[in-house]
Amino acid sequence: MWFYETEIGNQGYKSIAGIDEVGRGPLAGPVVAASVILPEKCRIEGLNDSKKLSEKKRNLIFRIIQQKALAIGIGVVSWDIIDRTNISHAVKAAMVDSVSRLNSKPDFLLIDGIQKIPSIIPQLTIKKGDALSASIAAASIIAKVTRDGMMVRYNNIYPSYGFNRHKGYGTQDHLKNIIKFGPCKIHRKTFKRVKEYC
């Protein structure tokens, strides 16, 4: 998990931020990105792509990352901005925002996926980077736990949709509730499976 950080460190870069996002696919809620700078070769047992961890394990590692990370930045882009622009633009904006919120400036970015972000900081994109880079894996966990918590809170405001269970993803239960109640404020109205019920 430290191959990329080690290789980049050997080129003279010392402050490396891993970046990942959560919430590209849901029908409701924001997209959330996180940037995380870990101490060099920091060992966190069980660190992995957030999707490969149980909720209990993810929450435990989330707390450990908060304790050990040198810096954490979180960027959030709301559903209305997603609707006004598009999801790809929103993801990039959330990532840029997360970098800007780090309390120390990185000198290199490791980004999950294949698309770079608008930044003067040198960067490398890594396909499936959340399973290959410790820094990106840490960012994926921070972003996932943060967004899940937001969706649980939205469930208290809009209890008819079950956001605490599916976190806004297009499950059968969620789709049935959209049909029954119509979309609510936080639904992404430009997404096909929501748009037809607006």
Side-chain angles (χ1 to χ4, degrees), residues 20-46:
D20 199 5
E21 56 77 24
V22 173
R24 184 185 290 268
L27 306 181
V31 62
V32 175
S35 295
V36 176
I37 302 174
L38 293 174
E40 188 176 353
K41 302 248 177 116
C42 169
R43 298 301 175 196
I44 299 175
E45 186 177 350

Short mmCIF file of all heavy atoms in Angstrom, two decimals, residues 20-46:
data_model
loop_
_atom_site.label_atom_id
_atom_site.label_comp_id
_atom_site.label_asym_id
_atom_site.label_seq_id
_atom_site.Cartn_x
_atom_site.Cartn_y
_atom_site.Cartn_z
N ASP A 20 -9.77 10.90 -2.55
CA ASP A 20 -10.81 10.03 -3.09
C ASP A 20 -12.17 10.68 -2.84
O ASP A 20 -12.29 11.59 -2.02
CB ASP A 20 -10.76 8.65 -2.43
CG ASP A 20 -11.49 7.58 -3.25
OD1 ASP A 20 -11.95 7.89 -4.37
OD2 ASP A 20 -11.59 6.43 -2.77
N GLU A 21 -13.17 10.20 -3.57
CA GLU A 21 -14.53 10.74 -3.41
C GLU A 21 -15.52 9.60 -3.20
O GLU A 21 -15.26 8.45 -3.57
CB GLU A 21 -14.93 11.57 -4.63
CG GLU A 21 -14.85 10.86 -5.97
CD GLU A 21 -15.98 9.89 -6.27
OE1 GLU A 21 -17.07 10.05 -5.68
OE2 GLU A 21 -15.76 8.96 -7.06
N VAL A 22 -16.65 9.96 -2.62
CA VAL A 22 -17.75 9.03 -2.42
C VAL A 22 -19.03 9.76 -2.81
O VAL A 22 -19.20 10.95 -2.50
CB VAL A 22 -17.83 8.57 -0.95
CG1 VAL A 22 -19.09 7.74 -0.71
CG2 VAL A 22 -16.60 7.77 -0.58
N GLY A 23 -19.92 9.05 -3.51
CA GLY A 23 -21.21 9.64 -3.82
C GLY A 23 -21.41 10.00 -5.27
O GLY A 23 -22.27 10.80 -5.60
N ARG A 24 -20.63 9.39 -6.15
CA ARG A 24 -20.81 9.65 -7.59
C ARG A 24 -22.12 9.06 -8.09
O ARG A 24 -22.82 9.66 -8.90
CB ARG A 24 -19.63 9.06 -8.37
CG ARG A 24 -19.65 9.35 -9.86
CD ARG A 24 -18.53 8.63 -10.58
NE ARG A 24 -17.23 9.17 -10.26
CZ ARG A 24 -16.62 10.13 -10.94
NH1 ARG A 24 -17.20 10.66 -12.00
NH2 ARG A 24 -15.42 10.54 -10.59
N GLY A 25 -22.49 7.89 -7.61
CA GLY A 25 -23.62 7.16 -8.17
C GLY A 25 -24.98 7.32 -7.52
O GLY A 25 -25.99 7.01 -8.16
N PRO A 26 -25.09 7.79 -6.28
CA PRO A 26 -26.40 7.86 -5.63
C PRO A 26 -27.39 8.78 -6.35
O PRO A 26 -27.00 9.66 -7.12
CB PRO A 26 -26.07 8.42 -4.24
CG PRO A 26 -24.67 8.02 -4.00
CD PRO A 26 -24.01 8.12 -5.34
N LEU A 27 -28.65 8.58 -6.04
CA LEU A 27 -29.72 9.39 -6.60
C LEU A 27 -30.03 10.59 -5.73
O LEU A 27 -30.84 11.44 -6.12
CB LEU A 27 -30.98 8.54 -6.76
CG LEU A 27 -30.85 7.23 -7.54
CD1 LEU A 27 -32.19 6.53 -7.61
CD2 LEU A 27 -30.28 7.49 -8.93
N ALA A 28 -29.42 10.66 -4.56
CA ALA A 28 -29.70 11.75 -3.63
C ALA A 28 -28.47 12.07 -2.80
O ALA A 28 -27.57 11.24 -2.65
CB ALA A 28 -30.85 11.36 -2.70
N GLY A 29 -28.45 13.29 -2.29
CA GLY A 29 -27.38 13.70 -1.39
C GLY A 29 -26.16 14.26 -2.12
O GLY A 29 -26.11 14.29 -3.36
N PRO A 30 -25.18 14.71 -1.35
CA PRO A 30 -24.00 15.35 -1.92
C PRO A 30 -22.95 14.34 -2.38
O PRO A 30 -23.05 13.14 -2.10
CB PRO A 30 -23.45 16.15 -0.73
CG PRO A 30 -23.79 15.27 0.45
CD PRO A 30 -25.13 14.67 0.12
N VAL A 31 -21.96 14.84 -3.08
CA VAL A 31 -20.73 14.10 -3.30
C VAL A 31 -19.71 14.64 -2.30
O VAL A 31 -19.65 15.84 -2.06
CB VAL A 31 -20.23 14.22 -4.77
CG1 VAL A 31 -19.90 15.65 -5.14
CG2 VAL A 31 -19.03 13.33 -5.00
N VAL A 32 -18.95 13.74 -1.70
CA VAL A 32 -17.99 14.11 -0.67
C VAL A 32 -16.61 13.59 -1.06
O VAL A 32 -16.46 12.43 -1.45
CB VAL A 32 -18.39 13.52 0.71
CG1 VAL A 32 -17.31 13.82 1.76
CG2 VAL A 32 -19.73 14.08 1.16
N ALA A 33 -15.61 14.46 -0.98
CA ALA A 33 -14.22 14.07 -1.25
C ALA A 33 -13.38 14.33 -0.01
O ALA A 33 -13.70 15.21 0.79
CB ALA A 33 -13.66 14.84 -2.44
N ALA A 34 -12.34 13.55 0.13
CA ALA A 34 -11.41 13.75 1.24
C ALA A 34 -9.98 13.74 0.73
O ALA A 34 -9.65 13.01 -0.23
CB ALA A 34 -11.59 12.68 2.31
N SER A 35 -9.15 14.56 1.35
CA SER A 35 -7.70 14.54 1.13
C SER A 35 -7.05 14.20 2.46
O SER A 35 -7.42 14.79 3.49
CB SER A 35 -7.21 15.91 0.65
OG SER A 35 -7.73 16.22 -0.61
N VAL A 36 -6.10 13.28 2.43
CA VAL A 36 -5.45 12.85 3.67
C VAL A 36 -3.94 12.79 3.47
O VAL A 36 -3.46 12.20 2.49
CB VAL A 36 -5.96 11.46 4.13
CG1 VAL A 36 -5.20 10.99 5.37
CG2 VAL A 36 -7.47 11.49 4.41
N ILE A 37 -3.21 13.42 4.38
CA ILE A 37 -1.75 13.31 4.42
C ILE A 37 -1.39 12.46 5.63
O ILE A 37 -1.68 12.83 6.77
CB ILE A 37 -1.08 14.69 4.54
CG1 ILE A 37 -1.48 15.60 3.37
CG2 ILE A 37 0.45 14.53 4.58
CD1 ILE A 37 -0.97 17.03 3.49
N LEU A 38 -0.79 11.30 5.37
CA LEU A 38 -0.37 10.41 6.44
C LEU A 38 1.12 10.59 6.73
O LEU A 38 1.89 10.94 5.82
CB LEU A 38 -0.62 8.95 6.05
CG LEU A 38 -2.08 8.49 5.90
CD1 LEU A 38 -2.12 7.06 5.38
CD2 LEU A 38 -2.83 8.60 7.22
N PRO A 39 1.55 10.31 7.96
CA PRO A 39 2.99 10.28 8.22
C PRO A 39 3.64 9.21 7.36
O PRO A 39 3.00 8.21 7.00
CB PRO A 39 3.07 9.91 9.71
CG PRO A 39 1.73 10.20 10.27
CD PRO A 39 0.75 10.01 9.15
N GLU A 40 4.91 9.39 7.04
CA GLU A 40 5.62 8.44 6.18
C GLU A 40 5.55 7.03 6.73
O GLU A 40 5.86 6.77 7.88
CB GLU A 40 7.08 8.88 6.02
CG GLU A 40 7.85 8.07 5.01
CD GLU A 40 9.26 8.59 4.81
OE1 GLU A 40 9.60 9.65 5.37
OE2 GLU A 40 10.04 7.92 4.10
N LYS A 41 5.11 6.08 5.89
CA LYS A 41 5.01 4.66 6.22
C LYS A 41 4.18 4.40 7.48
O LYS A 41 4.44 3.46 8.22
CB LYS A 41 6.40 4.06 6.36
CG LYS A 41 7.25 4.22 5.09
CD LYS A 41 7.52 2.92 4.41
CE LYS A 41 8.29 3.13 3.13
NZ LYS A 41 9.62 2.55 3.13
N CYS A 42 3.21 5.26 7.71
CA CYS A 42 2.30 5.09 8.86
C CYS A 42 1.55 3.76 8.72
O CYS A 42 0.98 3.47 7.68
CB CYS A 42 1.31 6.26 8.90
SG CYS A 42 -0.05 6.07 10.03
N ARG A 43 1.56 2.95 9.78
CA ARG A 43 0.90 1.65 9.73
C ARG A 43 -0.47 1.73 10.41
O ARG A 43 -0.56 2.08 11.57
CB ARG A 43 1.76 0.59 10.44
CG ARG A 43 3.12 0.36 9.79
CD ARG A 43 2.98 -0.08 8.35
NE ARG A 43 4.27 -0.18 7.68
CZ ARG A 43 4.41 -0.26 6.37
NH1 ARG A 43 3.36 -0.22 5.59
NH2 ARG A 43 5.61 -0.35 5.82
N ILE A 44 -1.50 1.41 9.64
CA ILE A 44 -2.85 1.35 10.18
C ILE A 44 -3.42 -0.02 9.81
O ILE A 44 -3.67 -0.30 8.63
CB ILE A 44 -3.74 2.47 9.61
CG1 ILE A 44 -3.17 3.84 9.97
CG2 ILE A 44 -5.18 2.33 10.12
CD1 ILE A 44 -3.91 5.02 9.36
N GLU A 45 -3.58 -0.88 10.79
CA GLU A 45 -4.02 -2.25 10.54
C GLU A 45 -5.40 -2.26 9.88
O GLU A 45 -6.32 -1.60 10.34
CB GLU A 45 -4.06 -3.04 11.85
CG GLU A 45 -4.35 -4.51 11.65
CD GLU A 45 -4.33 -5.30 12.95
OE1 GLU A 45 -3.88 -4.75 13.97
OE2 GLU A 45 -4.77 -6.45 12.93
N GLY A 46 -5.52 -3.02 8.80
CA GLY A 46 -6.79 -3.17 8.12
C GLY A 46 -7.10 -2.08 7.11
O GLY A 46 -8.16 -2.12 6.48
#
